Amino acid sequence: PSFVAAEGGVPKLYIHRLSANCMGPWMLLREADVPFELIEMDLTKGDTHTPEFLAMNPMGKVPTYMEQDGLVVWESNAIMRHICERHGVPEHFYPRDVNLRGRIEMALNWRQTVLYPHVARVAYPFLGFSKDGSKVDEGKTLLDKDLGVLTDFFLRETPFIGGAEPCIADYAIALPILYLYATDYRLAGKVREYLEHLAARTPSWNEVTNALKDFMAELNQAA
């Protein structure tokens, strides 16, 4: 993979297709019609731990994003915020209204500190991302509460977290929830409806999520 900015080129997004954290920035770039180059990293070959990659992102993780001028941003939510601010995307992705912006920031922080760790606790053992299944049952109980917060607070009055149209918080929150389809945890009807509604409003949904869907289908067949 190339780790050098090309003068006059386009931004580069380094990803792994099964990573929900990578899917949010990828989906945003597609939906906002920002030209970019998608670069897949082979984690099994240590692509993210080469000296060249670590010079960009010392954490050795994806997603990692490089602007055409060489600026590098990592951390999924930070990448999405940056894209919105730098590339003048449509307002609904990251509204400038201070009240809506505060709501979206709250949802993004809740996703990082509460929802995602609990999704991982339940889903990672089923996906083969972790060998520790000792906290799956506890995670399911926590998810019951978390997903109630999603539907009964964040989606109580609007179809999406920021209002009538999807925003970056929807991408950050909805995509990891897809991992739960690989588990025996049953999503509530309201959550499934939210995911289906978001997919229907997102032309790039299949492009971004198909690799994960195929991977989970193979796991289910092997089980």
Side-chain angles (χ1 to χ4, degrees):
S2 171
F3 303 115
V4 179
E7 187 174 347
V10 296
K12 298 177 180 180
L13 181 66
Y14 299 84
I15 67 149
H16 188 275
R17 286 183 180 268
L18 300 183
S19 167
N21 289 319
C22 294
M23 293 176 193
W26 179 7
M27 191 168 283
L28 172 64
L29 287 163
R30 283 282 187 250
E31 294 305 307
D33 201 25
V34 177
F36 72 104
E37 180 182 357
L38 190 71
I39 301 176
E40 290 189 62
M41 307 301 287
D42 189 338
L43 305 187
T44 65
K45 294 182 178 179
D47 282 357
T48 61
H49 291 280
T50 64
E52 295 83 2
F53 190 89
L54 291 172
M56 292 195 307
N57 182 347
M59 302 304 295
K61 294 182 181 295
V62 288
T64 296
Y65 176 81
M66 179 187 285
E67 283 288 359
Q68 58 265 49
D69 60 7
L71 174 74
V72 174
V73 183
W74 35 273
E75 292 294 329
S76 181
N77 291 344
I79 292 169
M80 290 195 288
R81 292 180 178 107
H82 169 82
I83 291 166
C84 290
E85 295 286 6
R86 176 146 178 177
H87 290 280
V89 306
E91 176 82 3
H92 66 86
F93 288 114
Y94 197 42
R96 296 199 174 278
D97 177 85
V98 67
N99 292 337
L100 276 177
R101 178 71 64 93
R103 179 180 178 83
I104 289 167
E105 296 291 6
M106 177 171 61
L108 289 170
N109 288 354
W110 172 78
R111 183 268 197 197
Q112 291 297 92
T113 60
V114 178
L115 179 65
Y116 193 91
H118 297 162
V119 169
R121 192 175 297 187
V122 174
Y124 275 20
F126 286 90
L127 293 164
F129 298 171
S130 170
K131 295 180 180 179
D132 181 10
S134 64
K135 297 182 179 180
V136 169
D137 288 340
E138 178 188 6
K140 291 176 181 177
T141 300
L142 293 168
L143 279 177
D144 287 342
K145 178 180 178 181
D146 298 340
L147 296 175
V149 171
L150 172 62
T151 58
D152 300 338
F153 178 79
F154 286 113
L155 301 173
R156 181 175 57 206
E157 298 176 353
T158 56
F160 300 109
I161 291 167
E165 298 180 85
C167 69
I168 62 173
D170 292 294
Y171 298 159
I173 287 168
L175 291 163
I177 293 174
L178 296 179
Y179 282 161
L180 296 171
Y181 282 114
T183 77
D184 57 4
Y185 180 83
R186 181 162 176 78
L187 291 171
K190 287 182 181 179
V191 178
R192 294 197 305 273
E193 289 170 8
Y194 165 62
L195 295 175
E196 291 164 4
H197 192 194
L198 181 59
R201 291 289 297 272
T202 308
S204 67
W205 184 268
N206 286 339
E207 174 196 343
V208 173
T209 64
N210 270 349
L212 176 62
K213 292 175 186 174
D214 291 345
F215 176 72
M216 293 193 297
E218 290 175 4
L219 289 178
N220 290 333
Q221 287 177 357

